[in-house]
PDB file of all heavy atoms in Angstrom:
ATOM      1  N   ARG K  23       0.819  -1.216   0.000  1.00  0.00           N
ATOM      2  CA  ARG K  23       0.000   0.000   0.000  1.00  0.00           C
ATOM      3  C   ARG K  23       0.854   1.269   0.000  1.00  0.00           C
ATOM      4  O   ARG K  23       0.369   2.347  -0.321  1.00  0.00           O
ATOM      5  CB  ARG K  23      -0.922  -0.005   1.212  1.00  0.00           C
ATOM      6  CG  ARG K  23      -1.961  -1.121   1.158  1.00  0.00           C
ATOM      7  CD  ARG K  23      -3.006  -0.974   2.242  1.00  0.00           C
ATOM      8  NE  ARG K  23      -2.442  -0.956   3.574  1.00  0.00           N
ATOM      9  CZ  ARG K  23      -2.506  -1.958   4.441  1.00  0.00           C
ATOM     10  NH1 ARG K  23      -3.097  -3.070   4.120  1.00  0.00           N
ATOM     11  NH2 ARG K  23      -1.977  -1.846   5.640  1.00  0.00           N
ATOM     12  N   LEU K  24       2.127   1.140   0.417  1.00  0.00           N
ATOM     13  CA  LEU K  24       3.046   2.277   0.443  1.00  0.00           C
ATOM     14  C   LEU K  24       4.266   1.938  -0.409  1.00  0.00           C
ATOM     15  O   LEU K  24       4.927   0.928  -0.175  1.00  0.00           O
ATOM     16  CB  LEU K  24       3.502   2.578   1.878  1.00  0.00           C
ATOM     17  CG  LEU K  24       4.608   3.636   2.032  1.00  0.00           C
ATOM     18  CD1 LEU K  24       4.130   5.011   1.549  1.00  0.00           C
ATOM     19  CD2 LEU K  24       5.079   3.711   3.482  1.00  0.00           C
ATOM     20  N   LEU K  25       4.535   2.794  -1.388  1.00  0.00           N
ATOM     21  CA  LEU K  25       5.728   2.645  -2.213  1.00  0.00           C
ATOM     22  C   LEU K  25       6.666   3.798  -1.905  1.00  0.00           C
ATOM     23  O   LEU K  25       6.377   4.956  -2.231  1.00  0.00           O
ATOM     24  CB  LEU K  25       5.372   2.640  -3.702  1.00  0.00           C
ATOM     25  CG  LEU K  25       6.567   2.521  -4.662  1.00  0.00           C
ATOM     26  CD1 LEU K  25       7.317   1.204  -4.435  1.00  0.00           C
ATOM     27  CD2 LEU K  25       6.100   2.642  -6.108  1.00  0.00           C
ATOM     28  N   LEU K  26       7.761   3.484  -1.237  1.00  0.00           N
ATOM     29  CA  LEU K  26       8.805   4.459  -0.977  1.00  0.00           C
ATOM     30  C   LEU K  26       9.687   4.509  -2.221  1.00  0.00           C
ATOM     31  O   LEU K  26      10.035   3.462  -2.766  1.00  0.00           O
ATOM     32  CB  LEU K  26       9.638   4.064   0.238  1.00  0.00           C
ATOM     33  CG  LEU K  26       8.875   3.884   1.542  1.00  0.00           C
ATOM     34  CD1 LEU K  26       9.789   3.325   2.625  1.00  0.00           C
ATOM     35  CD2 LEU K  26       8.254   5.195   1.974  1.00  0.00           C
ATOM     36  N   CYS K  27      10.037   5.702  -2.664  1.00  0.00           N
ATOM     37  CA  CYS K  27      10.859   5.841  -3.867  1.00  0.00           C
ATOM     38  C   CYS K  27      12.038   6.753  -3.598  1.00  0.00           C
ATOM     39  O   CYS K  27      11.887   7.816  -2.997  1.00  0.00           O
ATOM     40  CB  CYS K  27      10.052   6.463  -5.011  1.00  0.00           C
ATOM     41  SG  CYS K  27       8.720   5.450  -5.626  1.00  0.00           S
ATOM     42  N   ASP K  28      13.188   6.334  -4.075  1.00  0.00           N
ATOM     43  CA  ASP K  28      14.325   7.237  -4.136  1.00  0.00           C
ATOM     44  C   ASP K  28      13.988   8.260  -5.220  1.00  0.00           C
ATOM     45  O   ASP K  28      13.191   7.973  -6.118  1.00  0.00           O
ATOM     46  CB  ASP K  28      15.575   6.434  -4.494  1.00  0.00           C
ATOM     47  CG  ASP K  28      16.826   7.284  -4.525  1.00  0.00           C
ATOM     48  OD1 ASP K  28      17.060   8.036  -3.556  1.00  0.00           O
ATOM     49  OD2 ASP K  28      17.562   7.197  -5.522  1.00  0.00           O
ATOM     50  N   LEU K  29      14.590   9.422  -5.168  1.00  0.00           N
ATOM     51  CA  LEU K  29      14.298  10.445  -6.182  1.00  0.00           C
ATOM     52  C   LEU K  29      15.332  10.426  -7.296  1.00  0.00           C
ATOM     53  O   LEU K  29      15.023  10.092  -8.440  1.00  0.00           O
ATOM     54  CB  LEU K  29      14.226  11.832  -5.531  1.00  0.00           C
ATOM     55  CG  LEU K  29      14.061  13.024  -6.481  1.00  0.00           C
ATOM     56  CD1 LEU K  29      12.828  12.874  -7.363  1.00  0.00           C
ATOM     57  CD2 LEU K  29      13.999  14.321  -5.687  1.00  0.00           C
ATOM     58  N   ASP K  30      16.577  10.762  -6.963  1.00  0.00           N
ATOM     59  CA  ASP K  30      17.609  10.940  -7.983  1.00  0.00           C
ATOM     60  C   ASP K  30      17.963   9.621  -8.655  1.00  0.00           C
ATOM     61  O   ASP K  30      18.355   8.655  -7.993  1.00  0.00           O
ATOM     62  CB  ASP K  30      18.857  11.582  -7.376  1.00  0.00           C
ATOM     63  CG  ASP K  30      18.589  13.009  -6.926  1.00  0.00           C
ATOM     64  OD1 ASP K  30      17.721  13.669  -7.523  1.00  0.00           O
ATOM     65  OD2 ASP K  30      19.256  13.457  -5.970  1.00  0.00           O
ATOM     66  N   TYR K  31      17.827   9.610  -9.961  1.00  0.00           N
ATOM     67  CA  TYR K  31      18.118   8.481 -10.843  1.00  0.00           C
ATOM     68  C   TYR K  31      17.132   7.325 -10.711  1.00  0.00           C
ATOM     69  O   TYR K  31      17.267   6.315 -11.373  1.00  0.00           O
ATOM     70  CB  TYR K  31      19.557   7.988 -10.680  1.00  0.00           C
ATOM     71  CG  TYR K  31      20.554   9.096 -10.902  1.00  0.00           C
ATOM     72  CD1 TYR K  31      21.387   9.523  -9.878  1.00  0.00           C
ATOM     73  CD2 TYR K  31      20.619   9.754 -12.129  1.00  0.00           C
ATOM     74  CE1 TYR K  31      22.286  10.566 -10.084  1.00  0.00           C
ATOM     75  CE2 TYR K  31      21.518  10.792 -12.338  1.00  0.00           C
ATOM     76  CZ  TYR K  31      22.338  11.197 -11.311  1.00  0.00           C
ATOM     77  OH  TYR K  31      23.214  12.226 -11.502  1.00  0.00           O
ATOM     78  N   THR K  32      16.127   7.471  -9.856  1.00  0.00           N
ATOM     79  CA  THR K  32      15.057   6.477  -9.766  1.00  0.00           C
ATOM     80  C   THR K  32      13.812   7.020 -10.450  1.00  0.00           C
ATOM     81  O   THR K  32      13.271   6.392 -11.348  1.00  0.00           O
ATOM     82  CB  THR K  32      14.757   6.117  -8.296  1.00  0.00           C
ATOM     83  OG1 THR K  32      15.925   5.526  -7.733  1.00  0.00           O
ATOM     84  CG2 THR K  32      13.587   5.154  -8.191  1.00  0.00           C
ATOM     85  N   LEU K  33      13.375   8.198 -10.032  1.00  0.00           N
ATOM     86  CA  LEU K  33      12.208   8.819 -10.661  1.00  0.00           C
ATOM     87  C   LEU K  33      12.596   9.877 -11.689  1.00  0.00           C
ATOM     88  O   LEU K  33      11.798  10.185 -12.583  1.00  0.00           O
ATOM     89  CB  LEU K  33      11.301   9.452  -9.603  1.00  0.00           C
ATOM     90  CG  LEU K  33      10.685   8.494  -8.596  1.00  0.00           C
ATOM     91  CD1 LEU K  33       9.793   9.249  -7.625  1.00  0.00           C
ATOM     92  CD2 LEU K  33       9.930   7.371  -9.283  1.00  0.00           C
ATOM     93  N   ALA K  34      13.785  10.425 -11.539  1.00  0.00           N
ATOM     94  CA  ALA K  34      14.236  11.477 -12.466  1.00  0.00           C
ATOM     95  C   ALA K  34      15.749  11.618 -12.377  1.00  0.00           C
ATOM     96  O   ALA K  34      16.334  11.354 -11.323  1.00  0.00           O
ATOM     97  CB  ALA K  34      13.584  12.808 -12.097  1.00  0.00           C
ATOM     98  N   PRO K  35      16.375  12.031 -13.473  1.00  0.00           N
ATOM     99  CA  PRO K  35      17.806  12.333 -13.392  1.00  0.00           C
ATOM    100  C   PRO K  35      18.030  13.470 -12.400  1.00  0.00           C
ATOM    101  O   PRO K  35      17.157  14.315 -12.200  1.00  0.00           O
ATOM    102  CB  PRO K  35      18.165  12.777 -14.808  1.00  0.00           C
ATOM    103  CG  PRO K  35      17.046  12.348 -15.669  1.00  0.00           C
ATOM    104  CD  PRO K  35      15.831  12.265 -14.799  1.00  0.00           C
ATOM    105  N   LYS K  36      19.179  13.494 -11.801  1.00  0.00           N
ATOM    106  CA  LYS K  36      19.478  14.543 -10.818  1.00  0.00           C
ATOM    107  C   LYS K  36      19.416  15.933 -11.447  1.00  0.00           C
ATOM    108  O   LYS K  36      19.098  16.910 -10.782  1.00  0.00           O
ATOM    109  CB  LYS K  36      20.855  14.292 -10.202  1.00  0.00           C
ATOM    110  CG  LYS K  36      21.076  15.045  -8.931  1.00  0.00           C
ATOM    111  CD  LYS K  36      22.321  14.564  -8.231  1.00  0.00           C
ATOM    112  CE  LYS K  36      22.398  15.173  -6.853  1.00  0.00           C
ATOM    113  NZ  LYS K  36      23.461  14.569  -6.064  1.00  0.00           N
ATOM    114  N   SER K  37      19.693  16.006 -12.732  1.00  0.00           N
ATOM    115  CA  SER K  37      19.681  17.300 -13.423  1.00  0.00           C
ATOM    116  C   SER K  37      18.267  17.813 -13.712  1.00  0.00           C
ATOM    117  O   SER K  37      18.091  18.965 -14.067  1.00  0.00           O
ATOM    118  CB  SER K  37      20.443  17.178 -14.748  1.00  0.00           C
ATOM    119  OG  SER K  37      19.824  16.207 -15.573  1.00  0.00           O
ATOM    120  N   GLN K  38      17.261  16.978 -13.542  1.00  0.00           N
ATOM    121  CA  GLN K  38      15.875  17.368 -13.823  1.00  0.00           C
ATOM    122  C   GLN K  38      15.284  18.051 -12.600  1.00  0.00           C
ATOM    123  O   GLN K  38      15.081  17.431 -11.569  1.00  0.00           O
ATOM    124  CB  GLN K  38      15.053  16.132 -14.201  1.00  0.00           C
ATOM    125  CG  GLN K  38      13.636  16.444 -14.597  1.00  0.00           C
ATOM    126  CD  GLN K  38      12.900  15.173 -14.999  1.00  0.00           C
ATOM    127  OE1 GLN K  38      13.485  14.272 -15.593  1.00  0.00           O
ATOM    128  NE2 GLN K  38      11.631  15.102 -14.665  1.00  0.00           N
ATOM    129  N   GLY K  39      15.002  19.332 -12.717  1.00  0.00           N
ATOM    130  CA  GLY K  39      14.568  20.128 -11.577  1.00  0.00           C
ATOM    131  C   GLY K  39      13.116  19.989 -11.192  1.00  0.00           C
ATOM    132  O   GLY K  39      12.740  20.292 -10.061  1.00  0.00           O
ATOM    133  N   GLU K  40      12.284  19.525 -12.105  1.00  0.00           N
ATOM    134  CA  GLU K  40      10.864  19.394 -11.785  1.00  0.00           C
ATOM    135  C   GLU K  40      10.298  18.137 -12.443  1.00  0.00           C
ATOM    136  O   GLU K  40      10.853  17.634 -13.418  1.00  0.00           O
ATOM    137  CB  GLU K  40      10.095  20.631 -12.212  1.00  0.00           C
ATOM    138  CG  GLU K  40      10.235  20.972 -13.671  1.00  0.00           C
ATOM    139  CD  GLU K  40       9.667  22.335 -13.993  1.00  0.00           C
ATOM    140  OE1 GLU K  40       9.927  23.288 -13.245  1.00  0.00           O
ATOM    141  OE2 GLU K  40       8.952  22.425 -15.006  1.00  0.00           O
ATOM    142  N   PRO K  41       9.196  17.643 -11.917  1.00  0.00           N
ATOM    143  CA  PRO K  41       8.607  16.417 -12.464  1.00  0.00           C
ATOM    144  C   PRO K  41       8.108  16.624 -13.889  1.00  0.00           C
ATOM    145  O   PRO K  41       7.629  17.699 -14.241  1.00  0.00           O
ATOM    146  CB  PRO K  41       7.424  16.135 -11.545  1.00  0.00           C
ATOM    147  CG  PRO K  41       7.526  17.091 -10.413  1.00  0.00           C
ATOM    148  CD  PRO K  41       8.470  18.163 -10.777  1.00  0.00           C
ATOM    149  N   ASP K  42       8.222  15.576 -14.692  1.00  0.00           N
ATOM    150  CA  ASP K  42       7.669  15.653 -16.041  1.00  0.00           C
ATOM    151  C   ASP K  42       6.263  15.028 -16.052  1.00  0.00           C
ATOM    152  O   ASP K  42       5.825  14.438 -15.073  1.00  0.00           O
ATOM    153  CB  ASP K  42       8.595  14.993 -17.067  1.00  0.00           C
ATOM    154  CG  ASP K  42       8.876  13.526 -16.781  1.00  0.00           C
ATOM    155  OD1 ASP K  42       8.079  12.876 -16.064  1.00  0.00           O
ATOM    156  OD2 ASP K  42       9.896  13.023 -17.277  1.00  0.00           O
ATOM    157  N   GLN K  43       5.579  15.176 -17.176  1.00  0.00           N
ATOM    158  CA  GLN K  43       4.199  14.696 -17.303  1.00  0.00           C
ATOM    159  C   GLN K  43       4.110  13.182 -17.146  1.00  0.00           C
ATOM    160  O   GLN K  43       3.151  12.670 -16.583  1.00  0.00           O
ATOM    161  CB  GLN K  43       3.607  15.124 -18.643  1.00  0.00           C
ATOM    162  CG  GLN K  43       3.242  16.597 -18.681  1.00  0.00           C
ATOM    163  CD  GLN K  43       2.243  16.932 -17.587  1.00  0.00           C
ATOM    164  OE1 GLN K  43       2.590  17.514 -16.564  1.00  0.00           O
ATOM    165  NE2 GLN K  43       1.001  16.568 -17.774  1.00  0.00           N
ATOM    166  N   ARG K  44       5.086  12.469 -17.639  1.00  0.00           N
ATOM    167  CA  ARG K  44       5.085  11.008 -17.539  1.00  0.00           C
ATOM    168  C   ARG K  44       5.061  10.563 -16.081  1.00  0.00           C
ATOM    169  O   ARG K  44       4.298   9.678 -15.696  1.00  0.00           O
ATOM    170  CB  ARG K  44       6.322  10.469 -18.259  1.00  0.00           C
ATOM    171  CG  ARG K  44       6.431   8.981 -18.290  1.00  0.00           C
ATOM    172  CD  ARG K  44       7.623   8.596 -19.186  1.00  0.00           C
ATOM    173  NE  ARG K  44       7.817   7.186 -19.172  1.00  0.00           N
ATOM    174  CZ  ARG K  44       8.842   6.566 -18.598  1.00  0.00           C
ATOM    175  NH1 ARG K  44       9.794   7.255 -18.011  1.00  0.00           N
ATOM    176  NH2 ARG K  44       8.938   5.255 -18.621  1.00  0.00           N
ATOM    177  N   LEU K  45       5.896  11.176 -15.264  1.00  0.00           N
ATOM    178  CA  LEU K  45       5.934  10.852 -13.841  1.00  0.00           C
ATOM    179  C   LEU K  45       4.619  11.235 -13.167  1.00  0.00           C
ATOM    180  O   LEU K  45       4.078  10.473 -12.365  1.00  0.00           O
ATOM    181  CB  LEU K  45       7.117  11.557 -13.159  1.00  0.00           C
ATOM    182  CG  LEU K  45       7.254  11.350 -11.650  1.00  0.00           C
ATOM    183  CD1 LEU K  45       7.353   9.866 -11.288  1.00  0.00           C
ATOM    184  CD2 LEU K  45       8.466  12.119 -11.128  1.00  0.00           C
ATOM    185  N   CYS K  46       4.088  12.387 -13.510  1.00  0.00           N
ATOM    186  CA  CYS K  46       2.807  12.818 -12.926  1.00  0.00           C
ATOM    187  C   CYS K  46       1.689  11.834 -13.252  1.00  0.00           C
ATOM    188  O   CYS K  46       0.875  11.502 -12.382  1.00  0.00           O
ATOM    189  CB  CYS K  46       2.455  14.227 -13.404  1.00  0.00           C
ATOM    190  SG  CYS K  46       3.566  15.501 -12.766  1.00  0.00           S
ATOM    191  N   ARG K  47       1.637  11.360 -14.499  1.00  0.00           N
ATOM    192  CA  ARG K  47       0.616  10.373 -14.888  1.00  0.00           C
ATOM    193  C   ARG K  47       0.783   9.067 -14.108  1.00  0.00           C
ATOM    194  O   ARG K  47      -0.194   8.466 -13.655  1.00  0.00           O
ATOM    195  CB  ARG K  47       0.664  10.099 -16.390  1.00  0.00           C
ATOM    196  CG  ARG K  47       0.009  11.182 -17.226  1.00  0.00           C
ATOM    197  CD  ARG K  47      -0.185  10.755 -18.677  1.00  0.00           C
ATOM    198  NE  ARG K  47       1.054  10.359 -19.338  1.00  0.00           N
ATOM    199  CZ  ARG K  47       1.903  11.203 -19.927  1.00  0.00           C
ATOM    200  NH1 ARG K  47       1.651  12.491 -19.947  1.00  0.00           N
ATOM    201  NH2 ARG K  47       2.999  10.753 -20.510  1.00  0.00           N
ATOM    202  N   TRP K  48       2.033   8.615 -13.944  1.00  0.00           N
ATOM    203  CA  TRP K  48       2.290   7.380 -13.205  1.00  0.00           C
ATOM    204  C   TRP K  48       1.842   7.522 -11.750  1.00  0.00           C
ATOM    205  O   TRP K  48       1.222   6.609 -11.200  1.00  0.00           O
ATOM    206  CB  TRP K  48       3.778   7.033 -13.305  1.00  0.00           C
ATOM    207  CG  TRP K  48       4.181   5.783 -12.603  1.00  0.00           C
ATOM    208  CD1 TRP K  48       3.968   4.494 -13.016  1.00  0.00           C
ATOM    209  CD2 TRP K  48       4.883   5.691 -11.353  1.00  0.00           C
ATOM    210  NE1 TRP K  48       4.499   3.613 -12.113  1.00  0.00           N
ATOM    211  CE2 TRP K  48       5.064   4.312 -11.083  1.00  0.00           C
ATOM    212  CE3 TRP K  48       5.382   6.629 -10.458  1.00  0.00           C
ATOM    213  CZ2 TRP K  48       5.717   3.862  -9.939  1.00  0.00           C
ATOM    214  CZ3 TRP K  48       6.031   6.184  -9.319  1.00  0.00           C
ATOM    215  CH2 TRP K  48       6.191   4.824  -9.070  1.00  0.00           C
ATOM    216  N   LEU K  49       2.125   8.663 -11.142  1.00  0.00           N
ATOM    217  CA  LEU K  49       1.705   8.895  -9.761  1.00  0.00           C
ATOM    218  C   LEU K  49       0.186   8.940  -9.634  1.00  0.00           C
ATOM    219  O   LEU K  49      -0.378   8.457  -8.647  1.00  0.00           O
ATOM    220  CB  LEU K  49       2.334  10.169  -9.211  1.00  0.00           C
ATOM    221  CG  LEU K  49       3.834  10.063  -8.933  1.00  0.00           C
ATOM    222  CD1 LEU K  49       4.416  11.432  -8.631  1.00  0.00           C
ATOM    223  CD2 LEU K  49       4.117   9.088  -7.804  1.00  0.00           C
ATOM    224  N   GLU K  50      -0.484   9.507 -10.627  1.00  0.00           N
ATOM    225  CA  GLU K  50      -1.952   9.512 -10.634  1.00  0.00           C
ATOM    226  C   GLU K  50      -2.490   8.085 -10.696  1.00  0.00           C
ATOM    227  O   GLU K  50      -3.440   7.746  -9.985  1.00  0.00           O
ATOM    228  CB  GLU K  50      -2.478  10.315 -11.826  1.00  0.00           C
ATOM    229  CG  GLU K  50      -2.342  11.806 -11.674  1.00  0.00           C
ATOM    230  CD  GLU K  50      -2.729  12.561 -12.946  1.00  0.00           C
ATOM    231  OE1 GLU K  50      -3.431  11.990 -13.818  1.00  0.00           O
ATOM    232  OE2 GLU K  50      -2.324  13.733 -13.065  1.00  0.00           O
ATOM    233  N   GLU K  51      -1.878   7.249 -11.538  1.00  0.00           N
ATOM    234  CA  GLU K  51      -2.280   5.842 -11.629  1.00  0.00           C
ATOM    235  C   GLU K  51      -2.091   5.140 -10.287  1.00  0.00           C
ATOM    236  O   GLU K  51      -2.939   4.336  -9.875  1.00  0.00           O
ATOM    237  CB  GLU K  51      -1.467   5.117 -12.702  1.00  0.00           C
ATOM    238  CG  GLU K  51      -1.792   5.516 -14.111  1.00  0.00           C
ATOM    239  CD  GLU K  51      -0.828   4.894 -15.120  1.00  0.00           C
ATOM    240  OE1 GLU K  51      -0.127   3.915 -14.771  1.00  0.00           O
ATOM    241  OE2 GLU K  51      -0.774   5.404 -16.254  1.00  0.00           O
ATOM    242  N   MET K  52      -0.978   5.415  -9.634  1.00  0.00           N
ATOM    243  CA  MET K  52      -0.723   4.805  -8.324  1.00  0.00           C
ATOM    244  C   MET K  52      -1.804   5.219  -7.327  1.00  0.00           C
ATOM    245  O   MET K  52      -2.365   4.379  -6.626  1.00  0.00           O
ATOM    246  CB  MET K  52       0.655   5.201  -7.788  1.00  0.00           C
ATOM    247  CG  MET K  52       1.807   4.540  -8.498  1.00  0.00           C
ATOM    248  SD  MET K  52       1.849   2.784  -8.135  1.00  0.00           S
ATOM    249  CE  MET K  52       2.749   2.199  -9.539  1.00  0.00           C
ATOM    250  N   ALA K  53      -2.092   6.504  -7.276  1.00  0.00           N
ATOM    251  CA  ALA K  53      -3.104   7.004  -6.336  1.00  0.00           C
ATOM    252  C   ALA K  53      -4.472   6.396  -6.638  1.00  0.00           C
ATOM    253  O   ALA K  53      -5.187   5.970  -5.719  1.00  0.00           O
ATOM    254  CB  ALA K  53      -3.164   8.532  -6.392  1.00  0.00           C
ATOM    255  N   GLN K  54      -4.832   6.325  -7.909  1.00  0.00           N
ATOM    256  CA  GLN K  54      -6.118   5.731  -8.284  1.00  0.00           C
ATOM    257  C   GLN K  54      -6.178   4.253  -7.926  1.00  0.00           C
ATOM    258  O   GLN K  54      -7.244   3.717  -7.653  1.00  0.00           O
ATOM    259  CB  GLN K  54      -6.375   5.920  -9.778  1.00  0.00           C
ATOM    260  CG  GLN K  54      -6.672   7.354 -10.152  1.00  0.00           C
ATOM    261  CD  GLN K  54      -6.673   7.593 -11.657  1.00  0.00           C
ATOM    262  OE1 GLN K  54      -6.420   6.697 -12.448  1.00  0.00           O
ATOM    263  NE2 GLN K  54      -6.952   8.835 -12.037  1.00  0.00           N
ATOM    264  N   GLY K  55      -5.022   3.599  -7.913  1.00  0.00           N
ATOM    265  CA  GLY K  55      -4.950   2.189  -7.552  1.00  0.00           C
ATOM    266  C   GLY K  55      -4.806   1.950  -6.057  1.00  0.00           C
ATOM    267  O   GLY K  55      -4.604   0.812  -5.623  1.00  0.00           O
ATOM    268  N   GLY K  56      -4.872   3.016  -5.258  1.00  0.00           N
ATOM    269  CA  GLY K  56      -4.799   2.881  -3.807  1.00  0.00           C
ATOM    270  C   GLY K  56      -3.396   2.769  -3.245  1.00  0.00           C
ATOM    271  O   GLY K  56      -3.208   2.366  -2.100  1.00  0.00           O
TER     272      GLY K  56
END
């Protein structure tokens, strides 16, 4: 029910300062799936 995620190089390159649309959509899917 809880997915802990590392940030750098797991969800985004360290050079990426803000979330992209792909990540936002994936997080929405996770939330909708509980």
Side-chain angles (χ1 to χ4, degrees):
R23 294 190 302 254
L24 173 64
L25 179 61
L26 302 173
C27 294
D28 182 49
L29 174 56
D30 293 331
Y31 304 116
T32 297
L33 297 181
K36 197 169 189 171
S37 60
Q38 184 178 324
E40 57 190 45
D42 59 22
Q43 285 302 104
R44 182 173 176 250
L45 178 57
C46 292
R47 282 192 303 275
W48 181 76
L49 288 170
E50 286 173 19
E51 290 173 17
M52 287 291 157
Q54 289 169 358

